[in-house]
Amino acid sequence: MVQYDCPYIRTTREHDVAFHAQHWDFNHADRTLETRLMVIGESREELSGGLETLGEYQMLRDYDLLARKENTAVLRSRIDETDAMRTILHNDGYVTGPFVIRNGSELWNVGFDRGEQADDALAELDRNNEFTVKNDDSIHIDEFFDVMQNVDSLCALLSALQGLTDTERATLEAAVEKGYFSTPRQTNLEGLADEFDISKMGASKNLRRSQRKVLTELVRVINDVEAQLDLEEGPRVSGGSDESRDPEPISE
């Protein structure tokens, strides 16, 4: 999604920074979006420039810098309702997951209760925004319940993905796309190193860090799902005990 009136997107056009939403809340009374964001700059200088540029846009009501360390910051901000936000809300749409903003565009996860609402929203969005629909899936009610029962675990996994640096994310994506995990392998560490013009050791470190962050949370999700299934199924009775068999008739 490219919103021409979004201060976050405008900032990423001018500076090498990325915004990762941690929490958001839309205020219907004053038509503003309050968001807590993690901002990651390619360098300290890029982060400083991005924060300075962000504060200059009229659509930004205010923001507080909650924490900062090297090239990463956490801030709370309020922006005016954008055209795309207005369109989504007008068609009873809702945000279903965190959004990420980088390189002049942002990735939205948006839901609608009915297909015709989604069609109407996309038609209206096309007037003043540029966007590409990456996935258009309908969720069955059983799948919906599965998601709701494991929402905390899924949020933890999303947080792990958001915690990847741009370099770690790019390295992991390249490893998947170039066939590093295929059998047989279609590329190796040397190939990944050449992709980013770094040493094999550097490529290995970036890949291992990204794998560790993602797989740690993925294992937790798997364990949580298995625990939920065990809870739903209840205690299991062994089929080999004498108590489970029909009683034999008593002979006189």
Side-chain angles (χ1 to χ4, degrees):
M1 167 77 71
V2 176
Q3 299 185 80
Y4 297 105
D5 55 351
C6 175
Y8 306 125
I9 289 179
R10 290 183 176 182
T11 299
T12 64
R13 290 199 197 105
E14 298 187 31
H15 299 277
D16 194 356
V17 297
F19 294 91
H20 302 263
Q22 303 294 307
H23 175 268
W24 60 93
D25 180 42
F26 187 78
N27 189 318
H28 290 269
D30 62 4
R31 313 301 295 181
T32 59
L33 179 72
E34 179 174 317
T35 315
R36 283 167 177 79
L37 298 150
M38 177 181 292
V39 193
I40 302 175
E42 184 63 26
S43 64
R44 294 182 181 181
E45 293 74 20
E46 285 293 326
L47 176 62
S48 297
L51 294 176
E52 182 177 351
T53 297
L54 178 65
E56 296 173 352
Y57 287 122
Q58 293 182 350
M59 289 285 288
L60 183 79
R61 291 286 188 93
D62 54 66
Y63 85 84
D64 296 322
L65 185 61
L66 303 178
R68 176 172 178 171
K69 183 177 181 180
E70 298 181 351
N71 66 322
T72 303
V74 178
L75 58 88
R76 178 179 61 202
S77 64
R78 284 195 311 139
I79 66 170
D80 288 324
E81 180 183 49
T82 65
D83 177 81
M85 292 163 53
R86 188 180 306 112
T87 299
I88 296 295
L89 292 171
H90 176 72
N91 289 280
D92 293 329
Y94 44 89
V95 178
T96 61
F99 50 89
V100 180
I101 309 168
R102 63 160 61 89
N103 299 327
S105 66
E106 73 184 301
L107 176 64
W108 276 20
N109 295 285
V110 182
F112 298 88
D113 293 328
R114 295 178 176 83
E116 56 269 23
Q117 293 173 327
D119 293 338
D120 291 343
L122 293 177
E124 292 181 32
L125 284 171
D126 200 31
R127 299 172 188 170
N128 299 311
N129 303 275
E130 295 181 19
F131 65 91
T132 300
V133 178
K134 290 186 173 292
N135 291 295
D136 183 9
D137 300 321
S138 297
I139 300 178
H140 189 271
I141 188 169
D142 292 337
E143 297 173 333
F144 177 77
F145 284 140
D146 286 341
V147 171
M148 295 305 296
Q149 289 173 339
N150 298 288
V151 65
D152 290 339
S153 298
L154 294 174
C155 286
L157 180 58
L158 287 173
S159 296
L161 296 176
Q162 292 173 352
L164 295 176
T165 66
D166 288 345
T167 300
E168 291 168 350
R169 182 181 295 102
T171 303
L172 185 59
E173 289 177 353
V176 173
E177 293 172 357
K178 301 295 183 181
Y180 179 83
F181 300 108
S182 301
T183 304
R185 278 183 174 170
Q186 300 173 14
T187 191
N188 52 24
L189 282 176
E190 185 174 357
L192 292 177
D194 292 341
E195 183 78 13
F196 298 97
D197 195 23
I198 58 177
S199 66
K200 287 177 59 177
M201 181 177 293
S204 177
K205 286 183 178 179
N206 292 333
L207 185 58
R208 282 189 284 111
R209 286 170 182 166
S210 63
Q211 288 179 286
R212 183 178 67 251
K213 290 179 180 179
V214 175
L215 292 178
T216 298
E217 291 302 331
L218 182 58
V219 170
R220 290 179 183 175
V221 170
I222 293 173
N223 290 335
D224 289 346
V225 170
E226 289 181 346
Q228 181 65 35
L229 290 175
D230 289 341
L231 183 63
E232 292 174 356
E233 293 175 359
R236 300 170 182 172
V237 179
S238 173
S241 66
D242 291 338
E243 296 177 353
S244 65
R245 300 172 183 171
D246 294 331
E248 295 180 0
I250 300 175
S251 60
E252 296 181 357

